[in-house]
Amino acid sequence: KESPASAPKCVPGLSVILPVHNAQQWLDECLMSVLKQDFEGTMELSVFNDASKDQSMTIIEKWKMNLEDSGIPVVIGGHDSPSPRGVGYSKNQAIIQSTGSYLCFLDSDDVMMPQRVRLQYEAAVQYPTSIVGCQVRRDPPDSTERYTRWINQLAPDQLLTQVFTSHGPTVIMPTWFCSRAWFFHVGPFDEGGKGVPEDLLFFYEHLRKGGGVFRVDHSLLLYRYHLYAATHSVLEMTIWTHRVHFLEEQALPGWESFTIWNAGKQGRRLYRSLSAASRRKVVAFCDVDENKIKKGFYCHEDSQERPKPQVPILHFRAAQPPFVICVKLDLTGGEFEDNLKSLHLQEGRDFIHFS
């Protein structure tokens, strides 16, 4: 009889979390990628079918046998109500019915590379209070080029400093991997359904609780772009409101005053969206556009204050940090980045990207 000391080490279980809604055209490829994982620990697949009306369930049942024959148990839940309950609800249900100590999130239209689970598991064990992401390959390759470049090229410290931008979470939801314990410390996902950015809200709560962000620098997911993606149901205004609130909660309290970099449309929109207390901290707008600078100031016409606030517009070299930057970084042909570098500022401390 083997003594306990020499017994094989049991690797904690892992659950791949797969919400499904009308995904028949992608499921074969997606489920094949689960089967092809080179992870040597114990792994299960937890599927939750959110009122699919196509052949998704037939495909899942077919794959259940293949996966279980290969040693990957499959847990299937779902409902057949007339309408879906949404991605947040589906992910929560898939997690509740699963048993793994670690959670690997997978969208039904994406494809994992064979080493994804193994590499992200290794990182998650090392960083137990982090959301672990990875680099991605976009399909079609030329869709969302700016966004894909941002996902893949952020420096490690920028995973925490660039959390206020319009791109959302600095590691994207379909690549998330974390411990079950940490998920329940932060979560669950918001179940508001269609139009709710449940991943962004979870990410913000994760950061509030002191969670870290780590990216495995290998392309471990084929990340599909198509018109049916749930992302498209979230209004830009909804995201904007959450972002402004998070900026005011997490960044602005540490600054006595700040400058908004961009005297144009986006900068003025941010100013108008701020609370009265935050607006009072804005000492100036700054820009490089001589026409805007010549105006001398921006008058907030909608303000209830009398006299109406007039905020100076300065050349960026005459402005004082810290800055909230409302300029789309790579749409200026490198000119903006050069200007910013010339000031020798530290991201996070001296400036924050909000564009």
Side-chain angles (χ1 to χ4, degrees):
K1 189 182 174 184
E2 226 178 14
S3 68
S6 61
K9 190 179 176 189
C10 182
V11 177
L14 176 147
S15 300
V16 176
I17 302 301
L18 181 63
V20 173
H21 173 68
N22 293 344
Q24 65 179 26
Q25 70 188 97
W26 302 291
L27 270 173
D28 279 317
E29 227 181 324
C30 175
L31 293 167
M32 175 64 85
S33 78
V34 175
L35 182 67
K36 287 191 166 177
Q37 291 303 300
D38 64 13
F39 179 64
E40 292 183 350
T42 56
M43 180 170 86
E44 70 174 4
L45 173 66
S46 179
V47 181
F48 189 83
N49 172 39
D50 188 21
S52 293
K53 304 295 182 223
D54 63 0
Q55 296 302 305
S56 291
M57 279 311 295
T58 307
I59 295 166
I60 289 160
E61 291 291 353
K62 175 190 78 177
W63 274 94
K64 184 179 196 292
M65 202 180 301
N66 288 351
L67 288 159
E68 293 194 334
D69 285 349
S70 300
I72 303 170
V74 180
V75 185
I76 301 173
H79 67 101
D80 55 6
S81 307
S83 55
R85 294 280 300 274
V87 185
Y89 174 80
S90 303
K91 282 189 284 215
N92 287 339
Q93 292 301 312
I95 291 163
I96 289 164
Q97 72 189 20
S98 72
T99 57
S101 301
Y102 289 85
L103 306 173
C104 173
F105 291 91
L106 176 62
D107 283 358
S108 56
D109 51 356
D110 294 334
V111 181
M112 297 193 284
M113 300 303 111
Q115 67 274 39
R116 180 190 171 191
V117 168
R118 173 173 55 84
L119 293 179
Q120 288 192 282
Y121 172 80
E122 287 168 2
V125 169
Q126 202 175 342
Y127 301 99
T129 61
S130 286
I131 291 176
V132 175
C134 64
Q135 293 174 323
V136 301
R137 186 158 57 85
R138 203 56 155 142
D139 180 46
D142 57 351
S143 59
T144 69
E145 284 181 274
R146 279 185 68 240
Y147 181 48
T148 307
R149 193 160 54 243
W150 182 82
I151 292 166
N152 289 334
Q153 294 181 5
L154 285 175
D157 57 334
Q158 290 179 315
L159 297 174
L160 285 174
T161 58
Q162 294 217 0
V163 296
F164 303 101
T165 78
S166 60
H167 290 318
T170 48
V171 288
I172 58 164
M173 170 70 224
T175 72
W176 285 6
F177 197 113
C178 67
S179 80
R180 184 183 200 84
W182 184 254
F183 174 84
F184 281 109
H185 178 65
V186 174
F189 288 108
D190 187 294
E191 296 187 357
K194 194 172 180 181
V196 172
E198 84 293 331
D199 54 344
L200 183 68
L201 297 179
F202 186 95
F203 188 69
Y204 284 168
E205 189 58 26
H206 163 76
L207 295 172
R208 285 185 191 107
K209 297 239 166 118
V213 186
F214 183 83
R215 188 185 65 218
V216 175
D217 281 342
H218 294 275
S219 182
L220 301 179
L221 190 78
L222 180 70
Y223 177 39
R224 284 212 170 94
Y225 179 83
H226 56 86
L227 296 176
Y228 307 107
T231 316
H232 298 306
S233 72
V234 183
L235 296 174
E236 188 273 342
M237 189 65 212
T238 303
I239 303 266
W240 176 272
T241 304
H242 287 303
R243 288 173 55 218
V244 172
H245 178 72
F246 193 65
L247 178 77
E248 292 194 298
E249 176 197 286
Q250 296 292 313
L252 300 187
W255 292 347
E256 287 181 15
S257 62
F258 65 96
T259 300
I260 295 176
W261 192 318
N262 186 351
K265 195 172 165 185
Q266 281 295 90
R268 297 196 305 266
R269 182 187 182 193
L270 173 61
Y271 177 83
R272 291 193 302 270
S273 301
L274 295 171
S275 67
S278 296
R279 279 200 300 268
R280 283 193 284 275
K281 290 185 173 187
V282 179
V283 290
F285 289 90
C286 74
D287 214 294
V288 290
D289 185 333
E290 291 297 338
N291 291 325
K292 289 173 188 157
I293 296 163
K294 274 180 196 164
K295 287 179 185 169
F297 61 86
Y298 165 69
C299 181
H300 184 212
E301 295 292 350
D302 298 333
S303 175
Q304 302 303 308
E305 293 179 50
R306 295 295 179 271
K308 291 178 181 178
Q310 293 189 343
V311 185
I313 301 173
L314 309 173
H315 188 275
F316 78 91
R317 293 207 180 278
Q320 288 296 308
F323 299 102
V324 175
I325 294 173
C326 295
V327 178
K328 293 282 186 200
L329 285 192
D330 51 1
L331 294 184
T332 62
E335 181 192 356
F336 172 76
E337 290 92 329
D338 292 344
N339 289 337
L340 189 58
K341 276 179 193 163
S342 73
L343 298 178
H344 307 293
L345 302 173
Q346 183 182 320
E347 186 166 0
R349 184 193 68 190
D350 301 319
F351 68 92
I352 282 169
H353 286 292
F354 191 76
S355 48

